[in-house]
Amino acid sequence: ETQSTSPIKKSSDGKTNIVIIGRWWQENDAPELTDSIVIASLHYDKKSVSLFFFLRDLYVEYPSGGAGKINETYFRGLRSWEGESAGMQNLQEVLNKITGEEMHYFVNLDFEWFRKIIDTLGWIDIDVPEAIIDTTYPGPNATYQTFKISAGPQTLDGSTALKYARSRHTTSDFDRSLRQQLIIKALREKALSLELITSPSKIKSIYN
């Protein structure tokens, strides 16, 4: 007996767009705000992936009415229409309006997953362009803690990489997006160094 599968959705120019959002569900007073928003475009002809990062404070019009920061778009859709898919549909509509691109799929990630992925790989190496001293990094129970990192080559575990990606009170959202890009590149290099792509068992451990 054979099973039929739905064909992969593609745009007219032959690529697939996936909306990826990151949220910090734990120890966060606003867990439904999207801390990170990225469009991953799969280019089958070029065998490549391009990533487009959105600033979380980008001012947009909400499909449900009103306007404000883009990181509230998912939250407003989730609350007004009551449902995960509906909340993401709200965000996809806004991203379509901004980019003119159709959004085909979405992935909703908890940052705890992000931390565990890096720890499963072992660590990542990043050449930190500028030192950071953030005395108001969010801590447990609505508290603050200090996050520090020096400039230069650094080896980061999952928890430190997460703080490096999320710290924002002493730098701009542009800097924050750049740091997230550096982390994704470091993850790619680490995965390739471990020959992860050619190891089904390693891919399964990451998937689990």
Side-chain angles (χ1 to χ4, degrees):
E1 182 180 352
T2 59
Q3 286 184 315
S4 62
T5 57
S6 300
I8 296 175
K9 297 177 183 178
K10 298 179 182 180
S11 59
S12 58
D13 57 355
K15 68 173 178 287
T16 298
N17 294 319
I18 304 171
V19 180
I20 305 172
I21 65 171
R23 295 160 56 202
W24 185 232
W25 298 341
Q26 299 183 5
E27 301 172 355
N28 192 337
D29 57 355
E32 291 169 340
L33 296 180
T34 48
D35 222 31
S36 300
I37 303 172
V38 182
I39 296 178
S41 297
L42 311 183
H43 304 269
Y44 301 101
D45 55 342
K46 301 177 182 178
K47 294 183 172 57
S48 66
V49 178
S50 60
L51 301 176
F52 190 93
F53 291 73
F54 287 84
L55 302 180
R56 69 194 298 270
D57 292 342
L58 182 67
Y59 195 82
V60 299
E61 294 182 356
Y62 301 127
S64 55
K69 295 180 180 179
I70 194 171
N71 73 325
E72 291 187 27
T73 309
Y74 166 84
F75 161 76
R76 286 173 173 264
L78 185 69
R79 285 295 177 90
S80 61
W81 299 345
E82 298 181 356
E84 167 71 14
S85 295
M88 190 60 74
Q89 181 181 338
N90 218 29
L91 179 58
Q92 287 175 310
E93 185 176 332
V94 169
L95 296 178
N96 172 263
K97 187 174 182 180
I98 294 172
T99 65
E101 295 274 354
E102 181 182 0
M103 304 299 138
H104 303 104
Y105 300 98
F106 69 83
V107 181
N108 191 340
L109 301 177
D110 181 356
F111 282 135
E112 182 66 9
W113 168 91
F114 171 91
R115 182 188 66 77
K116 289 180 178 179
I117 285 289
I118 293 177
D119 287 340
T120 300
L121 292 175
W123 65 86
I124 57 173
D125 293 318
I126 290 182
D127 190 0
V128 176
E130 294 184 14
I132 293 176
I133 302 178
D134 184 353
T135 59
T136 56
Y137 186 85
N141 303 316
T143 61
Y144 293 109
Q145 55 185 271
T146 297
F147 168 65
K148 297 181 181 179
I149 189 168
S150 301
Q154 303 290 342
T155 297
L156 311 183
D157 61 11
S159 295
T160 306
L162 178 61
K163 292 177 181 178
Y164 183 63
R166 296 190 67 230
S167 175
R168 65 188 299 265
H169 289 129
T170 57
T171 57
S172 71
D173 266 344
F174 292 98
D175 295 328
R176 195 165 174 270
S177 291
L178 175 60
R179 293 199 300 272
Q180 292 174 4
Q181 293 172 41
L182 291 175
I183 288 173
I184 289 177
K185 289 180 180 177
L187 276 169
R188 175 183 178 275
E189 292 171 4
K190 183 67 175 182
L192 291 175
S193 71
L194 296 175
E195 298 182 347
L196 178 69
I197 306 303
T198 59
S199 173
S201 62
K202 291 178 181 177
I203 290 176
K204 185 177 180 180
S205 69
I206 294 294
Y207 178 81
N208 290 336

